[in-house]
Amino acid sequence: MSPSPELSAAQRNAVTELLRVSPVADELGRRFAKAGYELHLVGGSVRDALLGRLGDDLDFCTDARPEDTLKIIKGWAEATWETGREFGTIGLQRGGLRLEITTYRAESYDGVSRNPLVQYGDNLHDDLVRRDFTINAMAVSLPGHEFADPFGGLQDLAARVIRTPGTPAQSFGDDPLRMLRAARFAAQLRFDLDPAVRTAMEHMAADLDRITAERIRDEVSKLLLGADPVTGLRLLVDTGLADRFLPELAGLKLEIDEHAQHKDVYEHTLKVVSNAAGYDTADGGPDLVLRLAALLHDIGKPATKAVGADGGVSFHHHEMVGARMAKTRLKALKYPKDVIGPVVALVGLHLRFYGYGRGEWTDSAVRRYVTDAGDQLARLHKLTRSDCTTRNKRKAALLAADYDALEQRITRIQAEEDLARVRPDLDGNAIMELLGVPAGPVVGRAWKHLKELRLERGPLDRDEAEAELQRWARAEGLLP
């Protein structure tokens, strides 16, 4: 099939984008050519060039072996690394770009793990056919800029479809992680899956059990950070892939009958994820912690669902149950502590705001809200606002106004007090001196009591704090 005029234009755009970095890429290509080897820009780098989004990380393939690559770049590369050498990959840095050069591969897989049995190839075609999707199986030669697309990746890119170079069954059988990558690319690029790819994912979902938790975690994170995470999440659930590593997500599809109506928790969750994806971090990037919290905020509902005598449905304490479940799931997926801790805290706090509009919150309650949220307060604001998915415009407006009022109140109290560093009005040394006790459990209990007073009443002056400490100590039998 000959390319359409639009595809030809896209091809020209790819070369134009490549020329942006040609001082490095072409120079590298000339070094390989002089040494008698081929070099091609390949895979995701070509795909991104075609999409006009080529970044600073470039992938190349060559018929040179790793030891030959090292000789060619010696003295030219500003830095090199060999962490991927066992798979034929040599990394280097030059001119602000990170380059990875991989020897042509024609490996097979052992059918048990996702680890390839590395076999070097001797031609570009065999290297491209082993790649995951056609949109990642294109190449541009260097320095000649000849375009290679043996599997129609350019056509698929124009059609915005994800397809495999060979049969999906063979591709996913070689490496089941590619099924998650298909969902991830759908989320990142807003592409559709070829029907054969989707069918294979449904039939082969159990093969994902061969993949390590760390690999799954990385793909899930990339999916969540994509431009359209909801599309990717729907694919994971609809194909059964999510059941292999995140069964709680599909479990949100609670049965709804005519006698016990309640919001569709699954659809609500996806909407909350979509809302959360609308927020950016301070540096303009997507926030993994916020999106994970949005995804997991209601996973405690199925376990806490109860139907009352009047047919009303409740999910009492689902936020606390959900926080425990979120911690267990994230640990199983090998997320680091600096992700698990904030996500669990956000899930546990996401309901705290409700009730504020009824006028029940004192300044003490606001202080506790801020103190309990700690350094996650900004994210908690975003998650709480994202959690409002009602279609009732009046109710949505009231909730937004209530939260605006809460944020304004927090700002006012923060201006009067340092809520970010709420401490008792007496420190440990003062407590020991006034009570005449050594360091130990008594000091800890006294410190906690004074902190509770600080949260309840705000800052106390020194005389008030000392009087309250003595009152507490007498009640505890520590003073006459």
Side-chain angles (χ1 to χ4, degrees):
M1 180 186 298
S2 59
S4 68
E6 297 134 302
L7 294 180
S8 297
Q11 188 172 330
R12 288 194 297 273
N13 288 340
V15 174
T16 299
E17 180 67 12
L18 174 62
L19 290 174
R20 182 175 68 85
V21 295
S22 63
V24 169
D26 280 347
E27 186 177 342
L28 182 61
R30 286 190 290 271
R31 293 179 72 90
F32 273 79
K34 184 177 180 180
Y37 297 106
E38 299 175 359
L39 186 72
H40 299 266
L41 188 72
V42 72
S45 293
V46 176
R47 179 198 71 226
D48 289 344
L50 284 161
L51 293 172
R53 47 186 273 181
L54 187 64
D56 296 330
D57 294 336
L58 305 180
D59 295 323
F60 301 86
C61 65
T62 179
D63 55 343
R65 297 295 192 261
E67 58 272 20
D68 299 315
T69 294
L70 285 169
K71 293 177 183 177
I72 293 170
I73 64 175
K74 184 177 181 180
W76 181 80
E78 296 164 357
T80 61
W81 53 92
E82 302 181 39
T83 51
R85 182 169 181 169
E86 64 177 312
F87 299 110
T89 300
I90 300 297
L92 66 99
Q93 183 171 322
R94 172 80 179 192
L97 300 174
R98 289 173 58 89
L99 318 178
E100 287 196 345
I101 306 170
T102 302
T103 301
Y104 291 154
R105 289 188 282 192
E107 70 250 17
S108 59
Y109 289 77
D110 59 19
V112 177
S113 70
R114 73 172 299 274
N115 297 323
L117 305 174
V118 178
Q119 298 175 6
Y120 293 137
D122 57 11
N123 65 84
L124 178 64
H125 182 279
D126 288 350
D127 181 89
L128 295 180
V129 74
R130 55 157 290 277
R131 295 179 179 265
D132 52 5
F133 305 112
T134 59
I135 58 174
N136 295 330
M138 298 177 283
V140 177
S141 67
L142 296 168
H145 297 174
E146 295 179 1
F147 191 80
D149 180 21
F151 305 105
L154 199 57
Q155 293 278 5
D156 290 340
L157 203 64
R160 304 180 68 82
V161 65
I162 296 169
R163 191 168 57 85
T164 54
T167 67
Q170 178 63 47
S171 181
F172 298 155
D174 283 346
D175 184 359
L177 190 68
R178 290 173 174 173
M179 294 187 285
L180 283 189
R181 286 171 61 83
R184 189 246 291 183
F185 281 125
Q188 284 184 331
L189 303 176
R190 300 181 187 272
F191 280 23
D192 295 322
L193 298 188
D194 180 79
V197 169
R198 186 185 182 106
T199 298
M201 290 165 66
E202 294 170 353
H203 291 165
M204 302 178 68
D207 285 17
L208 197 62
D209 295 348
R210 292 159 42 193
I211 306 301
T212 65
E214 291 86 352
R215 297 281 186 172
I216 291 174
R217 173 203 65 205
D218 290 346
E219 286 299 327
V220 171
S221 295
K222 291 174 183 177
L223 184 156
L224 280 175
L225 294 174
D228 184 16
V230 170
T231 290
L233 292 170
R234 285 192 188 280
L235 283 172
L236 294 181
V237 171
D238 293 346
T239 58
L241 287 169
D243 292 338
R244 317 311 302 187
F245 62 90
L246 188 61
E248 296 87 353
L249 182 55
L252 294 176
K253 291 186 174 183
L254 299 180
E255 181 179 347
I256 302 176
D257 60 52
E258 59 181 340
H259 303 296
Q261 293 288 328
H262 61 80
K263 184 182 294 184
D264 186 324
V265 183
Y266 173 70
E267 291 297 332
H268 165 72
T269 294
L270 295 184
K271 179 59 177 174
V272 175
V273 172
S274 179
N275 290 345
Y279 288 102
D280 292 329
T281 56
D283 61 1
D287 186 340
L288 177 62
V289 167
L290 177 61
R291 295 189 186 195
L292 279 169
L295 178 66
L296 302 175
H297 80 286
D298 272 350
I299 62 169
K301 279 191 170 180
T304 57
K305 179 183 175 184
V307 181
D310 61 352
V313 178
S314 64
F315 304 97
H316 292 308
H317 306 301
H318 78 267
E319 73 280 13
M320 303 314 299
V321 173
R324 292 194 294 270
M325 293 173 64
K327 184 176 183 178
T328 298
R329 179 54 56 195
L330 294 175
K331 287 179 68 175
L333 286 171
K334 307 297 185 182
Y335 275 96
K337 292 180 180 179
D338 61 357
V339 170
I340 296 175
V343 172
V344 170
L346 290 167
V347 173
L349 289 169
H350 82 274
L351 277 188
R352 183 76 69 87
F353 159 72
Y354 293 93
Y356 177 80
R358 296 195 295 267
E360 299 172 354
W361 282 35
T362 61
D363 281 359
S364 171
V366 176
R367 291 188 195 98
R368 292 178 188 278
Y369 186 77
V370 174
T371 301
D372 290 348
D375 60 3
Q376 297 305 309
L377 181 62
R379 283 189 175 120
L380 183 57
H381 289 333
K382 296 173 183 177
L383 178 61
T384 302
R385 291 184 181 276
S386 297
D387 196 23
C388 177
T389 63
T390 179
R391 296 180 181 178
N392 185 317
K393 292 184 179 180
R394 180 177 176 276
K395 184 178 180 181
L398 286 173
L399 286 170
D402 286 344
Y403 210 85
D404 287 343
L406 175 59
E407 289 199 63
Q408 292 166 7
R409 194 170 172 189
I410 289 171
T411 299
R412 174 182 63 78
I413 297 175
Q414 283 178 324
E416 299 168 355
E417 311 169 25
D418 187 3
L419 292 183
R421 300 180 61 187
V422 171
R423 296 289 187 275
D425 297 287
L426 300 174
D427 62 18
N429 290 327
I431 292 171
M432 288 187 287
E433 181 180 348
L434 287 167
L435 297 185
V437 297
V442 170
V443 178
R445 286 161 46 208
W447 190 94
K448 183 176 180 181
H449 172 73
L450 290 174
K451 181 177 180 181
E452 288 296 313
L453 280 177
R454 172 69 172 77
L455 289 169
E456 185 68 30
R457 292 165 47 182
L460 305 177
D461 62 32
R462 178 78 181 197
D463 290 342
E464 287 180 303
E466 290 183 358
E468 289 294 346
L469 175 62
Q470 291 170 346
R471 188 176 295 113
W472 173 83
R474 282 193 292 271
E476 293 288 314
L478 301 172
L479 290 177

